[in-house]
Amino acid sequence: MMYEKFTPGRNIWKKVSRWFFFTMERVVVIGIMFGLTYVMIKKFFPYNIGIYGLILALNNLFLTIFLILPSPSNPNGLMYQEIVRGIFKFDKPATADIYTVTKSKGN
């Protein structure tokens, strides 16, 4: 009965879940960082992880948490988007950038 009607405009991929606000984008970032950490530990510490492997894993855990935080310039975006935009210097502005309506005096 609950699923008899379909309301258009509901995108399940962008829907914010109730459990830690894990959207699909955040789950993908967590998965990529977990895979990267796993490969790095297997490559650099094949036999015994030790203290340096633990430091690497904790460092990547904190980096992952940082990357999935909301970005300051666009609350609907994530921090990794800010970093990628800063590294590659895209001409496309952030969605939260504000343009002036009036012309500047220099023009």
Side-chain angles (χ1 to χ4, degrees):
M1 297 199 183
M2 187 170 156
Y3 297 105
E4 289 178 359
K5 292 183 180 177
F6 174 74
T7 55
R10 293 199 172 244
N11 188 349
I12 63 167
W13 300 109
K14 292 191 176 187
K15 181 181 176 187
V16 177
S17 67
R18 295 181 185 195
W19 194 72
F20 286 132
F21 296 101
F22 280 152
T23 58
M24 287 306 291
E25 188 176 18
R26 285 185 169 131
V27 169
V28 167
V29 170
I30 290 170
I32 289 172
M33 288 302 293
F34 175 77
L36 228 95
T37 305
Y38 181 77
V39 168
M40 287 171 67
I41 286 177
K42 285 293 185 185
K43 177 74 175 170
F44 297 131
F45 309 104
Y47 300 110
N48 186 10
I49 293 176
I51 188 72
Y52 293 114
L54 184 63
I55 290 171
L56 175 69
L58 288 175
N59 186 27
N60 281 0
L61 175 70
F62 291 135
L63 178 63
T64 304
I65 291 171
F66 174 75
L67 291 176
I68 64 173
L69 289 174
S71 66
S73 67
N74 181 10
N76 293 326
L78 301 179
M79 278 303 295
Y80 85 90
Q81 295 168 340
E82 291 285 321
I83 294 168
V84 168
R85 190 180 312 119
I87 290 173
F88 295 113
K89 305 219 184 306
F90 291 131
D91 291 333
K92 183 177 139 188
T95 54
D97 286 346
I98 299 171
Y99 294 103
T100 57
V101 177
T102 58
K103 291 184 177 182
S104 63
K105 292 183 179 183
N107 292 338

